Amino acid sequence: MGSEHPVIEMNSLWVVYDHTHPALVDVSVVVDKPEFIIVIGPNGAGKTTLLKVLLGMIKPTKGWARVFGFDVVREAEEIRRLTGYVPQRDIINFEVPLSVKDVVLMGLLPKKRIPRIPSSSDLKRVEEALEFVGMGDLWEEKFSDLSGGQQQRVLLARALVSEPKLLLLDEPLSAVDVASQDAILRILRHLREEGTTIVMVSHDINPVVEYVDKIMLLNKRVVAYGTPSEVIREEVFSEAYGYKVKIIEHAGVCYAITGDVHA
Amino acid sequence: MIGYIVLRAALGLALIAALSALAGTFAVLRGLSFIVAGVAHAALGGAALGVFLSSSGILPFDASLYGAIGAGLLLALTAAYVGERGAVGEMETAIGVAFALAMCVAVFFMYYIPPEQAPKIWGFLVGDVMLLTDSDVLLLLCITLAWLAMVALFHREFTYIVFDIEGAEAHGLSVRRYHYALLLMIALSVTVSTKAIGAIIVYAVMIAPVAAAANISSSMKKVFGYGFIFASTACFSGLLLSLVLDISPSAVAGIVSASIYLTTLFIKKGVR
Ligand SMILES: Nc1ncnc2c1ncn2[C@@H]1O[C@H](COP(=O)(O)OP(=O)(O)OP(=O)(O)O)[C@@H](O)[C@H]1O
Ligand SMILES: [Mg+2]
């Protein structure tokens, strides 16, 4: 099924909030084979909105989008079966006492029938997913007691436990220490090699640029989309951010210097 | 007879403690503590409308409870509709608007209600545990049982909603129905508790005990368990003290639950 259809198709896609507030403007992008794509852009550029459209959580105001050939409005359920999602960590309520195991189970149980009782094979998969992200020994821990980087890895395990073909991540590297950043990026590269498509929103291009196939520069519209060497050019960045951005090259890798800091 | 009244009051309070542990937990963890005050006041407005309709002869029966339940559910529906996209801040605003509207409705109809009917409405504000009726207790029992059944079947779904509603939706949960069910059940619980013992004590025991429980718990089971223990402690210390001394049980319950909450805050800070 995945082979006949492009992974992602977006066609003249608009999202306008409250009838007046455009968040995505005329976005047309096709991803026809498994790739590691990073989406960058300033605050309010519509990055989170883009991921939510692909999951069918926000309806396009105009245009259409398909994931594995499924329409995001009418066939969101099918898309969600094949997709893993790591939300921006700040939307999570840390007051709710959940164990690491319970958080990861959340990636499996909603896809089951009521009453969603975890089977022993579900628990096995949770264990494997946690081991895969290097958190195997922490599964009884309370999620909110972990460090930011550990929490991010648990959320990644939650997204991976159903073995998705498409992985959408919203700023998984923010407030994460360098060791965890590296661990996460190495995991993503491994998944990419196994044929998973990855769309990752990031505020910072520098740590990821050597891992990714494509960069999408978003500022409501798609300012640029292409390989790192095509996209990382000063005039392109300056257009997206609305002010001068400096690009420096080091050891064959381009780095963008922007004044943009995440709030 | 006195024994029966005290026993009935005790049963009512135990049920209210159970409802606090259930409805209160989800209200607090959803970030919607304010819905308790909102629904309690909506119920007051609804009761005033109900009493007006009955006393003016438009309805041939006592409609105060129906009015209260209707208004409480309406407030919850409004909040749920506004919050379909998950924005807790917008829900709180909607609750604030509905709250104010309901109080205006209450004051408006109070003006036309015969004075001897007024206590029916004020009962929603300052109730009396000793004035509980059999039907109040029966209603409390039914709602507690409904909650227990719902939580037994759907505790995971409800927990996912309060933990991360977007993640839950993205992973395939039909979050809308659980979101509505949760708010409607909270509203029903608050309305019936308010009718039974008055809004003042309902504030006192619906929020603080479960917030205290959440401070010190490592699992949802413990939140429910400690929440029930703390809410019962508050309710029963109020009841017992009011039997020996001439003081308001609501006030005692409020002071006890606030003290428990503060204590757990210190424990939590100490642990960190
Ligand atoms: N539910 C909503 N209702 C109304 N406006 C919204 C909603 N969600 C987002 N917006 C607005 O749409 C714009 C794009 O938001 P979005 O969250 O997609 O941006 P983003 O690129 O993810 O930003 P950030 O870097 O801050 O995470 C913002 O201006 C935001 O205020
Ligand atoms: Mg965002």
Side-chain angles (χ1 to χ4, degrees):
Chain A
M1 150 191 51
S3 52
E4 307 144 32
H5 297 284
V7 184
I8 296 170
E9 290 167 276
M10 291 180 272
N11 191 292
S12 309
L13 184 80
W14 289 65
V15 171
V16 182
Y17 286 117
D18 308 326
H19 305 289
T20 52
H21 190 125
L24 290 176
V25 174
D26 201 23
V27 172
S28 297
V29 167
V30 178
V31 179
D32 52 12
K33 59 175 193 303
E35 281 184 321
F36 188 164
I37 299 158
I38 175 184
V39 179
I40 59 169
N43 287 117
K47 305 181 295 293
T48 300
T49 303
L50 185 81
L51 297 189
K52 287 188 183 168
V53 167
L54 295 178
L55 283 161
M57 290 161 69
I58 291 175
K59 287 193 176 59
T61 315
K62 255 197 293 189
W64 52 262
R66 294 199 190 111
V67 177
F68 300 119
F70 295 115
D71 184 89
V72 292
V73 178
R74 286 175 289 107
E75 295 162 309
E77 204 175 312
E78 279 81 359
I79 295 172
R80 289 172 195 172
R81 273 184 190 285
L82 298 168
T83 307
Y85 178 53
V86 178
Q88 238 165 310
R89 197 165 50 95
D90 54 16
I91 65 159
I92 283 174
N93 180 0
F94 294 101
E95 299 284 307
V96 181
L98 280 182
S99 69
V100 164
K101 176 186 75 181
D102 287 332
V103 172
V104 180
L105 267 174
M106 199 177 159
L108 282 181
L109 297 185
K111 299 180 175 71
K112 299 184 70 154
R113 270 174 211 276
I114 293 167
R116 304 179 168 95
I117 296 166
S119 65
S120 54
S121 82
D122 293 332
L123 292 171
K124 184 115 193 59
R125 289 172 77 177
V126 168
E127 216 176 315
E128 285 164 3
L130 279 169
E131 259 151 37
F132 185 67
V133 299
M135 301 284 296
D137 41 346
L138 291 180
W139 84 327
E140 293 287 353
E141 284 305 288
K142 196 171 153 187
F143 179 75
S144 55
D145 288 345
L146 304 181
S147 76
Q150 291 174 321
Q151 286 176 351
Q152 208 58 260
R153 282 197 257 174
V154 172
L155 293 177
L156 182 57
R158 179 179 76 170
L160 293 178
V161 67
S162 59
E163 294 171 17
K165 303 304 294 166
L166 170 65
L167 187 57
L168 306 175
L169 306 104
D170 204 343
E171 307 207 17
L173 305 181
S174 72
V176 167
D177 56 278
V178 177
S180 282
Q181 278 196 4
D182 279 348
I184 291 170
L185 286 169
R186 267 183 276 118
I187 291 163
L188 295 179
R189 177 157 64 189
H190 178 80
L191 289 166
R192 152 78 183 82
E193 281 159 6
E194 310 260 277
T196 309
T197 298
I198 299 166
V199 179
M200 175 172 122
V201 168
S202 176
H203 235 78
D204 191 1
I205 188 171
N206 297 334
V208 290
V209 68
E210 55 184 303
Y211 291 88
V212 302
D213 302 302
K214 292 272 173 66
I215 297 177
M216 181 190 295
L217 206 53
L218 191 69
N219 193 0
K220 298 196 168 104
R221 2 180 120 254
V222 179
V223 177
Y225 179 66
T227 60
S229 58
E230 286 166 349
V231 171
I232 303 187
R233 302 196 328 261
E234 287 180 8
E235 63 273 22
V236 173
F237 268 75
S238 300
E239 186 188 339
Y241 283 82
Y243 51 81
K244 197 101 185 80
V245 175
K246 191 107 197 87
I247 308 280
I248 54 168
E249 197 181 319
H250 176 72
V253 177
C254 290
Y255 294 90
I257 314 289
T258 76
D260 195 63
V261 204
H262 195 231
Chain B
M1 190 59 205
I2 295 288
Y4 177 73
I5 289 176
V6 173
L7 210 65
R8 183 170 63 191
L11 182 58
L13 288 177
L15 289 169
I16 286 182
L19 282 179
S20 305
L22 295 158
T25 294
F26 288 111
V28 167
L29 292 180
R30 190 79 173 85
L32 278 180
S33 311
F34 188 42
I35 199 174
V36 173
V39 167
H41 286 86
L44 186 73
L49 175 62
V51 171
F52 170 77
L53 291 178
S54 309
S55 62
S56 62
I58 296 174
L59 291 178
F61 53 89
D62 176 3
S64 61
L65 180 62
Y66 301 105
I69 291 179
L73 290 180
L74 204 61
L75 178 138
L77 268 182
T78 313
Y81 176 73
V82 169
E84 272 193 23
R85 295 261 50 108
V88 172
E90 286 171 38
M91 282 197 270
E92 294 245 328
T93 309
I95 292 169
V97 172
F99 183 141
L101 178 66
M103 285 311 280
C104 296
V105 169
V107 172
F108 182 85
F109 285 111
M110 282 301 275
Y111 198 74
Y112 299 100
I113 288 170
E116 73 275 9
Q117 296 272 11
K120 239 185 210 152
I121 299 164
W122 294 125
F124 275 79
L125 204 55
V126 277
D128 186 334
V129 195
M130 296 303 169
L131 295 183
L132 270 177
T133 63
D134 287 353
S135 65
D136 289 338
V137 175
L138 196 64
L139 213 51
L140 286 168
L141 182 67
C142 290
I143 293 180
T144 309
L145 291 177
W147 261 115
L148 288 174
M150 258 186 32
V151 169
L153 268 176
F154 302 120
H155 65 99
R156 289 191 186 83
E157 288 82 347
F158 290 138
T159 304
Y160 294 165
I161 296 245
V162 294
F163 176 69
D164 169 15
I165 189 167
E166 286 181 3
E169 185 179 14
H171 285 100
L173 196 67
S174 322
V175 291
R176 224 167 133 236
R177 61 179 76 144
Y178 299 104
H179 164 71
Y180 273 87
L182 211 49
L183 292 195
L184 291 176
M185 279 301 283
I186 291 170
L188 212 51
S189 312
V190 174
T191 307
V192 172
S193 308
T194 304
K195 158 76 173 60
I197 56 170
I200 309 282
I201 187 167
V202 169
Y203 303 154
V205 300
M206 276 277 171
I207 302 299
V210 289
N215 276 342
I216 57 165
S217 296
S218 56
S219 70
M220 286 296 283
K221 275 203 187 97
K222 286 186 182 160
V223 180
F224 294 131
Y226 285 128
F228 179 66
I229 293 170
F230 294 161
S232 309
T233 308
C235 286
F236 284 103
S237 42
L239 180 66
L240 292 178
L241 279 181
S242 74
L243 289 178
V244 285
L245 304 170
D246 186 21
I247 44 177
S248 148
S250 307
V252 175
I255 293 167
V256 170
S257 53
S259 314
I260 295 174
Y261 174 70
L262 288 176
T263 312
T264 60
L265 264 190
F266 288 122
I267 294 175
K268 186 185 177 191
K269 282 266 192 285
V271 167
R272 291 244 164 107

